[in-house]
Amino acid sequence: MKSATFDLLTTVEYGGCSAKLDPAKLEELLRDIPLPTDSRILVDARTHDDAGVYQLNDETALIVTTDFFPPLCSDAYTFGRIAAANALSDVYAMGGRPLLALNLTMFPSAGIPAEVLVQILRGGQQSIDESGAFTMGGHTIDDATPKYGLAVTGTVHPQHLVTNAGVREGQRLVLTKPLGTGVAMAGHRLGLLSGEAYEAAIEQMCLLNKTGAELMLRYSVKGATDITGFGLLGHAKELAEASQVTLHIDSQVVPALPECLQLLRDGCIPGAAFRNLRFVGEQLEASCSTEYKMLLADAQTSGGLLMAVDADRADALVADLHATGLHPHAAVIGYAAAEEGKTRIIIT
């Protein structure tokens, strides 16, 4: 379902997860803010996980998260689908099941037809319905630039919790979706991306990580994250630091969306990729070509899961991802090794 009543891209310079603050600056700003401690808090901001986790009892823990951003595409309904899928992904990345959702909406009271807001919310509701969660309401403020997302509460059994700190030496790294959504959206706005490649990027961003999360639990994964605004490199850094490992990534086997590598070779590199490279900083050792390094730094919106699975089960997990028909590009892209003095991300 699409609505052509208004082009949302006319309201923004950049949107999606590319609109996040510079991760290095954000890390510095938050460094000295004290966080409460409690035995029931299983995960908080200290490990830079995708969400917070609070244990209710021996069988149930709550996952709480929020995410919203400005438009990254023209169509209101599609924007709503992507923004909601992106917010729900944080729960999936931690092995949970979305339970409740609240709409977070910023929209101008004048200048954009009200029907556009209706279409955004309808698109978001489609993703929420696909997740099985329930919409409980929300909050809307008057703002010149439209923004939309969700606050989501999910549930997880405490023994099945998946975190940044769960990666172990010798495990293989599996990526469920191809990279390149930031590059694709930039190329589209510049008229450099084909219609087919644009639709492929949109399809990936609308796809929930629900099936990937279900398989992740079936294979007893304990360490994972979803790939969003900090790019694969930025989120890999957080995995490496929390788990105290070094991650080795083979850039040649990392799946990419159609036409994105050529766009990068031609110099179509979104600014967020440079911010993400600064965030990883000296922890990055890259011997690959520039286009692959920038692909791995590209800010993703509603990207896939990056999970660490035991080496003898990695190929079977990828085969099961392929068999769903939803993740045909899933691949083993690297492995975790001992840190040897400091955590690093090594790309070949």
Side-chain angles (χ1 to χ4, degrees):
M1 180 177 183
K2 291 190 175 184
S3 170
T5 57
F6 187 86
D7 182 356
L8 284 173
L9 287 181
T10 62
T11 68
V12 293
E13 181 179 350
Y14 49 83
C17 286
S18 293
K20 285 187 175 182
L21 282 177
D22 184 317
K25 292 182 179 178
L26 182 61
E27 187 176 53
E28 182 179 353
L29 288 170
L30 299 178
R31 183 173 296 136
D32 297 325
I33 297 178
L35 293 174
T37 59
D38 189 287
S39 61
R40 293 164 293 186
I41 297 175
L42 303 184
V43 179
D44 60 18
R46 291 178 179 88
T47 53
H48 305 286
D49 270 283
D50 299 293
V53 183
Y54 181 89
Q55 185 167 349
L56 291 177
N57 52 51
D58 290 343
E59 302 292 325
T60 306
L62 293 180
I63 301 173
V64 290
T65 186
T66 186
D67 210 312
F68 62 92
F69 46 63
L72 77 169
C73 61
S74 298
D75 180 67
Y77 189 86
T78 303
F79 168 50
R81 286 188 66 192
I82 293 170
N86 185 78
L88 291 160
S89 183
D90 287 344
V91 173
Y92 292 130
M94 303 197 74
R97 178 178 64 87
L99 178 63
L100 306 174
L102 295 169
N103 287 306
L104 303 176
T105 311
M106 286 126 273
F107 197 81
S109 58
I112 301 179
E115 175 62 20
V116 174
L117 175 56
V118 174
Q119 292 296 324
I120 292 172
L121 294 174
R122 284 179 175 167
Q125 191 59 48
Q126 177 175 335
S127 291
I128 295 168
D129 289 344
E130 289 175 6
S131 77
F134 300 100
T135 304
M136 304 299 288
H139 187 67
T140 303
I141 65 169
D142 194 334
D143 193 9
T145 302
K147 302 173 189 73
Y148 173 66
L150 303 176
V152 185
T153 300
T155 59
V156 65
H157 193 292
Q159 293 182 0
H160 298 158
L161 180 62
V162 182
T163 72
N164 280 348
V167 183
R168 296 294 175 260
E169 178 185 352
Q171 291 185 320
R172 298 298 185 259
L173 302 174
V174 173
L175 180 65
T176 62
K177 289 185 185 181
L179 302 180
T181 60
V183 177
M185 295 303 100
H188 172 69
R189 295 190 72 165
L190 294 171
L192 302 175
L193 190 75
S194 72
E196 293 80 4
Y198 176 72
E199 289 301 326
I202 292 293
E203 180 181 357
Q204 285 299 298
M205 289 187 287
C206 289
L207 177 65
L208 297 183
N209 280 320
K210 180 179 181 179
T211 301
E214 291 168 352
L215 285 171
M216 182 168 69
L217 293 181
R218 190 183 305 172
Y219 280 82
S220 302
V221 169
K222 294 297 183 183
T225 185
D226 63 341
I227 308 302
T228 54
F230 298 164
L232 188 143
L233 290 182
H235 291 287
K237 164 188 162 76
E238 294 174 338
L239 281 179
E241 289 180 340
S243 298
Q244 291 297 289
V245 294
T246 285
L247 301 184
H248 293 254
I249 297 172
D250 182 353
S251 64
Q252 300 296 310
V253 298
V254 173
L257 286 167
E259 303 179 20
C260 286
L261 283 169
Q262 187 58 52
L263 283 172
L264 289 166
R265 293 186 190 104
D266 293 340
C268 181
I269 304 175
F274 294 101
R275 296 197 299 270
N276 290 337
L277 282 177
R278 289 195 298 270
F279 176 52
V280 182
E282 295 181 356
Q283 289 172 268
L284 176 64
E285 297 179 17
S287 59
C288 62
S289 60
T290 299
E291 66 266 25
Y292 280 100
K293 182 168 71 172
M294 302 313 293
L295 176 71
L296 270 63
D298 184 41
Q300 303 302 286
T301 298
S302 191
L305 299 175
L306 177 66
M307 59 184 82
V309 62
D310 292 344
D312 60 352
R313 307 189 75 189
D315 289 339
L317 171 56
V318 170
D320 280 348
L321 284 163
H322 292 172
T324 67
L326 300 172
H327 296 283
H329 305 290
V332 177
I333 66 167
Y335 63 94
E339 62 172 311
E340 297 180 356
K342 69 172 183 177
T343 58
R344 293 175 294 161
I345 311 297
I346 300 174
I347 310 172
T348 55

